[in-house]
Amino acid sequence: MPTESRLADGVRLAVTTVTTLPLRTGRIDRGAAGTAMALAPAVGALLGAVLAAVLLLTAALAPPLVAAGVTVGLGALFTRGLHLDGLADTVDALGSYRRGAAALEIMKKPDVGPFGVVALVVVLLLQTATLAELAGRSWPAALAGVVAATAAGRLGVAVACRRGVPAARPEGLGALVAGTVGPVALVVGTAAVALLAVPAAPGRPWQGPLAVVAALAVAVGLLRHAVRRLGGITGDVLGATVEIVTTLVYLGLVLSG
C-alpha cells in the first residue's frame, strides 16, 4: 500500500475511533491501525482544544464547576461514551478476580456492575473537580492543561498498542491494533504531549510534563495487570486507558505542594 494511502486511512481511522466526527472510512487493516494508534494523541490534542474552548467560554458565563460539568459531558458526547463504557467493563472484569475467558465474558455483558459504577463516579467527579480548578487559571494555562490531558489519554492507547502487547481475543478492536505501535512513535508522542503540558501549571513548567509521564507509568502498570488477567488488550481496555490517563494528568496538574 502506498505510504500516502496508508497515512490517509490511518488518519480517518484515528478520527473515527477517537471522536464522533463522521468521516468516510478507508481501508482498515493492521497497517492503517498502527498509523491510527500512533496519530491518536494528535487527534486527542485537537479534541482537547475544542473542549478547552467550551470550558473557557462556559466559565465566562457560569460558575467554574458548571463549566467543568458541561465540558465533561460534551467530552463524553464527542466520544460516544465508548471510553467510559470501556472503563466500567474493564474494572468490572478485573474486580471479579476471574481470569481469561471468564473475565472476558463479564466484559461482554451489557449491564454495569458495582465496581464499574464506582469507577465511573470517581473518574467523572475527579475530571469535573480538576477542570473547575483549571477554569480559574489563565486561558493559556487552561488551554494547555485540557489539550495535554486529552492528548495524553490517547497517547495511553498508543502505549497499550505497543509491540509485544498481545490481544485478549482473536477478533475485535484489540486484535486489530495490538502490537502495531513502534518505539519511535511512542517516544515522539510522549515528548510532544509533555511539551504541550509545560504551560499548564504557571510557575511550575516541570509539573505538566511530570504529570504526563507519571500517568503513563501508572497506565503501563495497569496494562500489565490487565494482560496477566485477561490475556491481552481489548477495545474496553483501550477505553479504560484513555479515561484513567486523562484523569491522572488532570489530577497531576492541580496538585500543589
Side-chain angles (χ1 to χ4, degrees), residues 14 18 29 37 58 106 118-119 177 196 209 252:
V18 174
D29 55 21
M37 296 304 98
T58 309
I106 291 175
V118 171
V177 301
L196 286 173

Side-chain angles (χ1 to χ4, degrees), residues 70-96:
V70 170
T71 304
V72 170
L74 285 178
L77 179 64
F78 292 159
T79 57
R80 300 187 295 271
L82 291 178
H83 303 145
L84 291 169
D85 179 69
L87 172 67
D89 288 344
T90 300
V91 173
D92 274 338
L94 296 178
S96 71

